[in-house]
Amino acid sequence: MRIAGQKLTGKLAAIYMTVILITIIMLLPFAWMLSASLKLSSEVFVFPIEWIPSNPQWQNYVDIWTKIPLALFIYNTSKLTIIVTLMQLFTSSFAAYAFAKLDFPYKNALFLGYIATIAMPWQVYMVPQFLLMREFGLNNTHLALICLQAFTAFGVFLMRQFYMSIPTELCEAARIDGMNEYQIWAKIMLPLSKPALSTLTIFTFVTTWNDFLGPMIYLTKTELKTIQIGLRMFISQYSAEYGLIMAASVVALIPVLIVFLSLQRFFVEGVASSGLKG
Amino acid sequence: MANSTIAAGDTPIVTRRRKVVSRRRRRVQDALVAYSFIAPNFLGFAVFTLGPILFAFVLAFMHWDGSNAMTFAGLDNFWRLFEDKAFIAAFWNTIIYTVVSVPATLACALGLAILLNQKILGRDFFRTAMFFPYVASLVAVAVVWNMIFNPEMGPVNMLLYTLGLDPKDMPGWAADRHWAMVTVILFGVWKSMGYFMVIYLAGLQGINSELYEAADLDGANAWQKFLYVTVPQLGPTTFFVTVMLTIQSFKVFDQIYMITQGGPGTSTLVLVYHIYNEAFVSWDLGYSSMIALVLFFLVLGITVIQFRRQKED
């Protein structure tokens, strides 16, 4: 490789080696997880690591479904995530239309209210929010988590920025054609805002699916738990059953993996565009 | 704006009055329509976000355990901060976590982005692999992290042992007060660098390739091109990434809860963890809100810096 005149291939080889090495390091925890999920608890820590178990314990993947209500946790998480995402998309784009294209009293003051809270960490007001929800009798309900995540300033802001870039003449023309504002929103703005909607979908989906502290504060009943805190409960109950814990973790990752791989393009575009704004 | 139609045969005065009335009615109607667009989001937002935020500022000056009557505390909670050893530890740990993990994540993300901006085979696969830890469920990966870094049996220490490290000098990772913070930071960097790599990739693609051609003409080597073209051109991206990472680090909780539970002792206790403990373990709601205000002012400080900088640009 180091022959003179072949400098370029040498450089390229170095790049490949580095990239492959880093990728292996990044993915090693997942490989270890997968491998351990097919072992007996006593074999998990055997060193040197036997990456492909000689005696795979497929039984681990059967046992987890009876030892913890994993299916219920996945159902709860999916339910919450889908409802929150749909509500977020609807209410944000709906409000954003008014902020971007309509004139009304106190518009700036109201919008300022949203802007002022964008940078406010949820952790600052999570305790008062919990007290309020408890007052409403929403402690230990999924509704609490929905209320908590469905109306964000971030969503309104993101959608409004996108709507601002759509020419106002389009709305004017539609008004002359006799459309009312609701029709303009539904038939003109929504179809045009697919990129912003998909960015918002991805962000909301990932945040809600992976939320940890919210469900931990609000959901103490096993039958309500989401996959994250359900898995944590399982881990503390069966702390020595390494094989089972790893199998449950693998199962918990599968839905994310599927969603991520199928919507990857939007993920990357969404993240990239959030960076370009700065 | 909208023109009211004038019916033929109206006298001028009636027309004018009707015009005024209909214009006013029209304006009220327009406003109502606009409010109807905002209402679904705003009502939820006002009740579940704005309300609690205002309440947080009040609560910080109160004593309350959540069941008995609330009493006014004045500045009691504020003075308590300075005597609370756990708070002081949490404050400094948050700062240490931020000061170490922000540059580390930034450097890794930039390095990865430059590597994966090259035209190499399977580039998309590599990018996906780097990004995946970011979307992976935290609990699942944190538990693997704990096993891999298990001081007695974990593969990392086994590897160090085979490499000849004396078991006495072996890092105890999450169970060792000198290494616990390192363990948590390593996890944080590993989990989020892929995300910021994607932001950097977007930044790199925005650099005009003519700049590199000009540098080539001047005989610049790869390192010089990196230093004098890439780094300055990525300035705004780096600024954005730094701000985001800093705010994210101030708010760190999940991974610490999963990996070290703030321990051993208070060696990885951070602000959000302390807020959580004071509120949901001790039910000292007023004091927990005061700690939350400290977090608020830290984040506000960063936001103000960001805002000023954006104005300058």
Side-chain angles (χ1 to χ4, degrees), chain B residues 203 206-208 211-212 226-238:
Chain B
I207 300 178
N208 191 339
L211 290 172
Y212 288 108
F226 171 73
L227 219 54
Y228 299 113
V229 180
T230 313
V231 171
Q233 287 292 312
L234 285 178
T237 311
T238 303

Side-chain angles (χ1 to χ4, degrees), chain A residues 233-247:
Chain A
M233 182 186 74
F234 176 68
I235 290 164
S236 46
Q237 272 172 5
Y238 299 90
S239 56
E241 306 230 28
Y242 304 113
L244 284 180
I245 289 176
M246 288 295 99

Side-chain angles (χ1 to χ4, degrees), chain A residues 72-82 208-209 226-227:
Chain A
L72 181 67
F73 294 155
I74 293 177
Y75 167 77
N76 285 342
T77 320
S78 315
K79 180 183 120 186
L80 274 174
T81 309
I82 291 169
T208 316
W209 187 279
T226 61
I227 193 140

Side-chain angles (χ1 to χ4, degrees), chain A residues 19 52 54 59 61 80 91 122 150 161 173 176 188 206 224 267:
Chain A
V19 167
I52 298 163
S54 48
Q59 191 60 31
Y61 282 92
L80 274 174
T91 67
W122 172 73
Q161 293 307 90
I176 291 167
I188 296 179
V206 175
L224 292 176
F267 261 87

Side-chain angles (χ1 to χ4, degrees), chain A:
Chain A
M1 288 290 188
R2 302 239 175 271
I3 311 159
Q6 281 211 322
K7 213 172 146 201
L8 204 69
T9 24
K11 188 186 154 202
L12 206 61
I15 291 175
Y16 272 109
M17 299 250 286
T18 324
V19 167
I20 290 169
L21 192 73
I22 297 173
T23 310
I24 289 175
I25 294 172
M26 291 298 276
L27 295 184
L28 216 54
F30 297 108
W32 197 80
M33 174 193 256
L34 201 60
S35 154
S37 74
L38 293 171
K39 290 177 184 170
L40 290 169
S41 294
S42 57
E43 301 167 344
V44 165
F45 286 113
V46 169
F47 195 84
I49 302 163
E50 191 188 7
W51 288 101
I52 298 163
S54 48
N55 177 25
Q57 301 294 313
W58 298 106
Q59 191 60 31
N60 285 348
Y61 282 92
V62 179
D63 291 347
I64 49 168
W65 300 96
T66 54
K67 290 213 169 167
I68 52 163
L70 203 56
L72 181 67
F73 294 155
I74 293 177
Y75 167 77
N76 285 342
T77 320
S78 315
K79 180 183 120 186
L80 274 174
T81 309
I82 291 169
I83 294 176
V84 167
T85 308
L86 288 177
M87 282 181 68
Q88 169 88 281
L89 287 176
F90 168 71
T91 67
S92 301
S93 66
F94 210 50
Y97 176 69
F99 282 121
K101 298 291 174 209
L102 299 176
D103 265 320
F104 53 93
Y106 306 114
K107 175 172 160 177
N108 291 334
L110 286 173
F111 193 62
L112 199 69
Y114 279 101
I115 296 286
T117 59
I118 269 191
M120 173 71 84
W122 172 73
Q123 288 84 347
V124 170
Y125 59 90
M126 66 177 181
V127 176
Q129 194 182 45
F130 172 82
L131 298 169
L132 182 86
M133 297 274 195
R134 197 183 61 168
E135 208 57 38
F136 290 165
L138 294 179
N139 191 12
N140 258 319
T141 61
H142 285 158
L143 191 58
L145 289 166
I146 294 171
C147 292
L148 189 152
Q149 284 162 322
F151 317 100
T152 64
F154 169 74
V156 175
F157 184 71
L158 184 92
M159 293 308 298
R160 178 208 176 247
Q161 293 307 90
F162 191 84
Y163 286 160
M164 293 297 270
S165 70
I166 298 176
T168 309
E169 290 79 32
L170 235 91
C171 305
E172 302 282 355
R175 264 173 223 138
I176 291 167
D177 287 347
M179 277 197 195
N180 64 34
E181 301 298 332
Y182 305 102
Q183 288 167 325
I184 297 175
W185 170 78
K187 292 186 180 151
I188 296 179
M189 295 308 242
L190 271 192
L192 282 175
S193 57
K194 270 181 200 146
L197 288 173
S198 55
T199 303
L200 188 58
T201 307
I202 300 289
F203 274 104
T204 315
F205 189 94
V206 175
T207 341
T208 316
W209 187 279
N210 284 341
D211 189 17
F212 178 74
L213 191 48
M216 193 169 90
I217 295 173
Y218 285 98
L219 309 174
T220 49
K221 288 187 183 146
T222 306
E223 68 269 23
L224 292 176
K225 284 188 173 171
T226 61
I227 193 140
Q228 290 256 53
I229 51 169
L231 189 61
R232 198 183 74 82
M233 182 186 74
F234 176 68
I235 290 164
S236 46
Q237 272 172 5
Y238 299 90
S239 56
E241 306 230 28
Y242 304 113
L244 284 180
I245 289 176
M246 288 295 99
S249 302
V250 171
V251 173
L253 280 182
I254 288 172
V256 186
L257 187 68
I258 293 171
V259 172
F260 172 59
L261 288 180
S262 51
L263 296 175
Q264 202 201 108
R265 195 167 57 88
F266 297 107
F267 261 87
V268 172
E269 279 169 10
V271 175
S273 66
S274 82
L276 289 178
K277 269 190 312 209

Side-chain angles (χ1 to χ4, degrees), chain B residues 181-199:
Chain B
M181 188 55 98
V182 178
T183 315
V184 173
I185 290 175
L186 276 176
F187 180 85
V189 173
W190 171 76
K191 195 158 183 349
S192 60
M193 65 195 212
Y195 181 86
F196 294 99
M197 170 198 79
V198 172
I199 294 181

